[in-house]
């Protein structure tokens, strides 16, 4: 059920922009960044799972803010 819930969130995040006529696959990259950071913190540095997931979410959020800030300044067709 956990994997189903994660895949449901990912599928809905990809479907919603497609329903509006836009293609956006950045969500998968941000999910992968958070998952990778959480896995490295819990496996390599022996963090508790709840702390690693929170830190992975924060890392993904920071990456999204950096990329989003640059993308929102672009003009024209990209």
């Amino acid at each position: 059920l956990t994997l189903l819930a994660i895949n449901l969130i990912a599928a809905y995040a990809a479907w919603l922009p497609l329903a509006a006529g836009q293609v956006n696959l950045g969500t998968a990259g941000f999910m992968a960044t958070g998952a990778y950071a959480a896995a490295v913190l819990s496996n390599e540095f022996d963090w508790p799972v709840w702390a690693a997931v929170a830190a992975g979410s924060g890392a993904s959020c920071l990456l999204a803010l950096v990329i989003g800030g640059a993308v929102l300044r672009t003009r024209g067709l990209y």
Side-chain angles (χ1 to χ4, degrees):
L1 285 174
T2 303
L3 288 175
L4 176 69
I6 291 170
N7 287 328
L8 181 68
I9 291 169
Y12 189 67
W15 175 79
L16 192 59
L18 283 174
Q22 297 180 356
V23 176
N24 181 10
L25 298 176
T27 308
F30 296 132
M31 285 182 71
T33 302
Y36 184 77
V40 166
L41 289 173
S42 66
N43 289 333
E44 298 295 325
F45 298 108
D46 294 326
W47 282 32
V49 174
W50 60 271
V53 169
S57 298
S60 180
C61 180
L62 287 176
L63 180 66
L65 286 174
V66 169
I67 292 175
V71 168
L72 288 175
R73 283 189 229 128
T74 59
R75 300 284 181 243
L77 267 177
Y78 288 99

